[in-house]
Amino acid sequence: MTTNKTLGVVGLGSMGYGAAVSALKRGVPTWGLDTRAEARERFVADGGRSTASLAELGANCDVVVVLVVNAAQTEDVLFGEGGLAATLKPGSVIVTSATVDPTLPPLWEARLAERGLWLIDGPVSGGAKKAAEGQMTVMASGKPEAFAAAGALLDAIAGKVYRLGDKAGVGSTVKMVNQHLAGVHIAAACEGMALGMRAGADPDQLYEVICNSAGMSWMFQNRVPHILAGDYTPLSAVNIFIKDLGIVLDAARKLQFPLPLAAQAHQLYLATAAAGHGGEDDSAVIKFYAQLAGLELPKAAA
C-alpha cells in the first residue's frame, strides 16, 4: 500500500498489536504507544516506531486508532493532559475502537471538531488472530470528510470496513449488538457443553458433532477448544463481558427495551468472576457449571 500518511495505534494489546503489525506489513509507516515497555520494544523489533508519549505520537501521526479497554481510558487518551485533542494536527483523524455506550462517540466527535479534528466511531471485532492477520472487522461511522481524511489506512488494519452512517454512534450501536450476541453465545456454549458432559457425552465427540450440526455458533466453535484443552489463558476474559454486557444492558435500560437473555448471561459472567475466574478466558463460564454439578473438566496437557 502506497501512502504518505502515518498511522498511530494507542494500546498494543492483543488487538492493537495485531492492527499495528498488519499496517506495517502493508507498507504503512506506523507508531505504537503502550504503557508497557515490553510491548513497545516488541513493536520496535518488528519494524515499527514506538513511544510512551501521546504528545510525541500525536505530533508524528495523521490517523490514530485508539484500541484501549473502555470509555474512561478512551476519554483520557483524547482529552486528558497531553492527549490527542491537544497534540494532533488539524485535519487528523482519530478512530475510537473500544466498546462503549453509543451515546458517547457523538459527544467526542463534537469536542474534537472544535479542534479541527475528525472522529470515526470504529469499534472492531475478530479477536487477536484476525487482528494479527489484518482481517478484523471495523464497524465504522462518521462524517464523509473523516473517511476521506483517513484514506486507505482503515483498510490497512482490517479485512472488512463497514461504513454504517455519517455520524458517530452508529458504529458503537452495531458493536453493542455484536457483543450482546457474542456474550449470550459463549454462555450458551458453556451451558450446553456442561449439560452434555453431565449426561455422559464425550466432550470431544460432542464438540465435533455440534460443529457439524444446526446448534453450532462461531463462538461455540471458537471457545469450546479452550475447554477441551483445559487452557483458560485469557484471549478475551470473563471480566470483558461483564463490562460489555453491562454496556448493553445500560443502553437497553435507557431505551426501555427488555433483554432477558443478555441479563441472564451477564449474571453468569458475574457468578464466574465471583468464583475467582474473572481474569480467565471467557470460556471459564463452564467452571461455574462444573462447580454446581461436580463435573471434572478436561485438564491442560503437562
Side-chain angles (χ1 to χ4, degrees):
M1 177 182 294
T2 302
T3 179
N4 60 356
K5 295 180 183 290
T6 299
L7 178 69
V9 177
V10 177
L12 296 175
S14 58
M15 297 289 282
Y17 194 87
V21 170
S22 294
L24 281 177
K25 290 177 180 176
R26 290 169 175 169
V28 176
T30 305
W31 285 70
L33 181 147
D34 201 280
T35 57
R36 299 165 299 150
E38 62 271 21
R40 299 195 302 271
E41 292 164 3
R42 179 186 174 203
F43 186 57
V44 170
D46 281 335
R49 302 192 68 177
S50 186
T51 179
S53 164
L54 280 170
E56 185 177 13
L57 185 95
N60 284 281
C61 296
D62 305 289
V63 178
V64 178
V65 179
V66 182
L67 271 161
V68 293
V69 172
N70 55 30
Q73 289 186 5
T74 301
E75 290 195 346
D76 189 52
V77 168
L78 297 181
F79 305 113
E81 184 177 353
L84 295 176
T87 58
L88 280 168
K89 303 178 290 292
S92 299
V93 182
I94 299 171
V95 183
T96 53
S97 296
T99 301
V100 301
D101 183 327
T103 63
L104 293 176
L107 304 178
W108 300 338
E109 182 181 50
R111 289 180 67 181
L112 291 170
E114 294 173 358
R115 304 290 189 103
L117 301 172
W118 299 110
L119 176 77
I120 293 176
D121 172 25
V124 297
S125 183
K129 183 174 184 293
K130 286 196 173 183
E133 295 169 350
Q135 294 300 312
M136 66 184 181
T137 296
V138 181
M139 309 166 202
S141 65
K143 297 187 184 304
E145 296 91 338
F147 284 99
L153 292 199
L154 280 179
D155 294 318
I157 64 171
K160 293 181 180 178
V161 178
Y162 289 98
R163 291 183 59 168
L164 301 169
D166 60 3
K167 60 182 179 181
V170 183
S172 285
T173 296
V174 174
K175 178 61 185 295
M176 178 179 68
V177 173
N178 182 79
Q179 294 309 94
H180 170 287
L181 294 169
V184 169
H185 289 174
I186 291 168
C190 292
E191 184 173 277
M193 286 297 296
L195 171 65
M197 292 166 65
R198 175 60 184 268
D202 177 82
D204 292 286
Q205 290 183 335
L206 179 59
Y207 172 69
E208 182 178 353
V209 171
I210 297 301
C211 283
N212 290 283
S213 302
M216 194 273 286
S217 69
W218 189 93
M219 282 300 189
F220 183 95
Q221 190 173 48
N222 183 266
R223 295 305 204 266
V224 173
H226 304 174
I227 297 168
L228 299 177
D231 183 0
Y232 298 92
T233 303
L235 301 180
S236 173
V238 168
N239 287 334
I240 293 294
F241 272 101
I242 292 175
K243 172 185 74 75
D244 286 2
L245 286 179
I247 291 169
V248 172
L249 292 167
D250 286 344
R253 193 157 35 245
K254 293 173 187 175
L255 295 167
Q256 295 188 324
F257 192 87
L259 295 176
L261 294 179
Q264 186 60 56
H266 192 234
Q267 289 298 309
L268 287 170
Y269 291 106
L270 284 168
T272 303
H277 309 298
E280 297 180 29
D281 188 77
D282 47 36
S283 60
V285 168
I286 199 169
K287 292 186 176 182
F288 171 75
Y289 286 102
Q291 184 173 341
L292 284 178
L295 293 176
E296 184 173 346
L297 297 173
K299 299 277 195 302

